[in-house]
Amino acid sequence: MTGTDHPTDATLDVAALVARARAAAGPDGRAAVGGIADWETFPFEREGLRLRALEDPVVPEPPRRDEDAATCSRCALPDEVFAWTDGTWRLSGRGPVSVPTFVLDPRTHVDLGDLDDDAAGDLGRMIVRVERALAAVPGVGRVHVHRWGDGNGHLHVFFFARPDGMVQLRGLVMPLWTHHLPALPDDEWDAIVASVVAALEAGPARA
Ligand SMILES: [Zn+2]
């Protein structure tokens, strides 16, 4: 099999998925709020909470921002707006942020699935370097790494630092919490960025 072959006859039947969800929903089209609302990490109280009704799938999907390299705003950014760059990667640490938040972009216009094996390996090493640099900052309990890719066509990987001891922010709910916490003071954030940059400048080897 070559890389261009479709590997199987498998299909995700989206129409059937939506139909099942709607059949399981209440008469107003809303499914009941699930057990996630009982998680101790869930940001919202169950009382008064309700799901939105499922919308129809949009096919083809609307384009993301920066799909085209020729007009990509991320490609057009000068190195000066990034906290750290090298020949392949650019790391931004722009504030204000409620928890330390970094975004890693490749210098060239690619999405995740465009990476060849060498570039994929390089991305993996770079993710570990950034994670290690951020995790070393006192007060950081854990570094969360995310790639969603729904908003922008230029690959970008998020790093969120969960504050040490804030176990209520553990796991997948932390990005929701970040929208509800005040911004870090500028001097505190600037020092964290400088610390991460210094660790990256020190090189890839484990300290
Ligand atoms: Zn781009």
Side-chain angles (χ1 to χ4, degrees):
M1 182 190 302
T2 71
T4 55
D5 288 337
H6 196 289
T8 73
D9 293 327
T11 300
L12 177 63
D13 187 340
V14 178
L17 190 160
V18 172
R20 279 195 305 275
R22 286 181 169 155
D28 64 352
R30 302 171 192 277
V33 173
I36 189 174
D38 300 319
W39 292 11
E40 61 186 12
T41 55
F42 192 63
F44 310 102
E45 296 185 346
R46 176 181 281 278
E47 185 181 349
L49 196 64
R50 63 179 193 175
L51 281 177
R52 296 175 189 239
L54 274 186
E55 298 174 355
D56 289 332
V58 178
V59 181
E61 295 193 7
R64 302 173 296 179
R65 294 187 305 280
D66 297 336
E67 293 279 17
D68 184 355
T71 56
C72 177
S73 66
R74 301 181 91 92
C75 285
L77 289 171
D79 276 9
E80 290 70 37
V81 305
F82 291 86
W84 176 88
T85 65
D86 70 3
T88 309
W89 302 103
R90 304 201 290 183
L91 184 74
S92 67
R94 286 192 286 277
V97 291
S98 61
V99 301
T101 304
F102 290 85
V103 183
L104 179 68
D105 288 24
R107 187 176 281 282
T108 55
H109 188 86
V110 290
D111 206 346
L112 187 61
D114 301 326
L115 300 178
D116 63 21
D117 278 357
D118 285 345
D122 196 30
L123 173 62
R125 285 185 287 275
M126 198 62 224
I127 286 173
V128 173
R129 288 179 65 189
V130 176
E131 197 271 355
R132 189 179 291 145
L134 185 51
V137 175
V140 172
R142 191 88 61 205
V143 177
H144 294 182
V145 182
H146 298 267
R147 181 271 183 177
W148 288 288
D150 281 337
N152 195 293
H154 188 127
L155 174 62
H156 54 293
V157 179
F158 291 89
F159 300 80
F160 293 107
R162 179 174 59 70
D164 192 28
M166 293 185 73
V167 294
Q168 196 176 16
L169 275 59
R170 285 178 300 184
L172 64 88
V173 299
M174 196 175 78
L176 297 176
W177 278 105
T178 63
H179 287 271
H180 300 91
L181 299 171
L184 294 174
D186 286 345
D187 57 347
E188 184 175 332
W189 173 229
D190 290 346
I192 292 169
V193 173
S195 175
V196 167
V197 169
L200 293 174
E201 290 292 339
R206 181 156 198 158

